[in-house]
Amino acid sequence: MNIFHNAKFSITANDLNGLPDTPAEIAFVGRSNAGKSSAINALCNHVRLAFVSKTPGRTQHINFFELANGCFLADLPGYGYAQVPEPVRAHWVKLLGSYLQTRRQIAGLLLIMDARHPLKPQDWQMLDFFAATGKPVHILLSKADKLSKNEQIKTLSAVKKSLQPLGERQEVSVQLFSSLKKQGLDEVGAVAAEWFARAAAQAAANLTESGEIG
């Protein structure tokens, strides 16, 4: 079974003090209206687990969903264009930035981009910003069904080539994804399972080390 199946909503956080105590979590982020909510619903095999809207910026907090393995998926506010007042947008930026760089439970970042418009300047900024954490990134090129098979192949190849310079300082992988056609679900699930396994192994190592020191 895909690791995201049977996910259930847990809690909404509007500031860092409201974040839940989790064993590990995967952060899900992307430009506003890139198809993030649809992707979460598809991955979790749920019609309306994450709210889907054509209005960019609908997700205004960090929404946590508990997975069957006890870990979590964190749905972050979309970055970029959003039809919200400037004070609200500024709060999102601060919350998202602080969370991504200080949250120790993050096992990795799922970064969603519209396959028709990948690697926009703000996507590069996000990659550069998150690189400081040393944690892995997996990019979902969403809405791949909007492209022909040939266009999909060319887009995936072009994005992989553009990401090559990041390889020396950041673990970044990429795949095609379609919520509508259920394309790429198992691939994302496998990546997430690997990240959670790494997080569990690291947590166990930390406990052993602290026990030896004590």
Side-chain angles (χ1 to χ4, degrees):
M1 181 191 300
N2 191 305
I3 197 171
F4 294 105
H5 282 193
N6 299 322
K8 57 184 181 180
F9 175 76
S10 176
I11 193 173
T12 291
N14 190 39
D15 56 58
L16 297 181
N17 292 328
L19 298 177
D21 183 16
T22 70
E25 64 209 37
I26 288 177
F28 209 116
V29 70
R31 293 200 315 273
S32 295
N33 215 27
K36 182 162 54 69
S37 294
S38 295
I40 290 175
N41 288 334
L43 287 168
C44 298
N45 195 31
H46 198 291
V47 178
R48 288 182 63 83
L49 186 65
F51 189 84
V52 179
S53 172
K54 292 184 178 180
T55 303
R58 178 66 69 176
T59 304
Q60 300 183 18
H61 308 86
I62 301 178
N63 296 313
F64 287 84
F65 301 91
E66 186 173 4
L67 308 180
N69 66 351
C71 296
F72 286 74
L73 171 66
D75 180 18
L76 275 61
Y79 54 87
Y81 173 82
Q83 294 177 336
V84 294
E86 178 57 28
V88 175
R89 191 196 67 79
H91 171 71
W92 293 0
V93 171
K94 182 178 180 181
L95 175 63
L96 186 146
S98 298
Y99 167 80
L100 288 176
Q101 288 210 323
T102 65
R103 181 72 166 171
R104 64 172 177 78
Q105 289 98 325
I106 296 177
L109 181 72
L110 289 177
L111 175 55
I112 192 161
M113 304 179 192
D114 189 323
R116 298 166 297 179
H117 314 288
L119 294 174
K120 292 294 187 180
Q122 289 175 323
D123 296 325
W124 283 112
Q125 290 173 11
M126 176 57 69
L127 286 167
D128 184 63
F129 181 80
F130 192 69
T133 68
K135 296 175 181 178
V137 178
H138 187 62
I139 297 172
L140 279 60
L141 298 176
S142 69
K143 306 181 184 181
D145 55 281
K146 303 294 184 182
L147 303 176
S148 67
K149 289 296 183 181
N150 189 46
E151 289 172 334
Q152 289 184 25
I153 294 171
K154 287 183 176 180
T155 297
L156 182 61
S157 177
V159 171
K160 285 183 175 180
K161 184 176 181 180
S162 296
L163 293 171
Q164 284 179 355
L166 300 180
E168 296 181 358
R169 65 187 183 97
Q170 189 173 20
E171 180 185 338
V172 182
S173 52
V174 60
Q175 69 164 96
L176 293 165
F177 186 87
S178 170
S179 302
L180 183 64
K181 300 295 184 180
K182 309 300 183 185
Q183 176 184 353
L185 301 183
D186 290 341
E187 187 174 347
V188 184
V191 169
E194 168 63 21
W195 287 354
F196 283 134
R198 289 188 204 174
Q202 184 60 54
N206 290 343
L207 282 175
T208 301
E209 182 179 347
S210 63
E212 290 175 351
I213 293 174

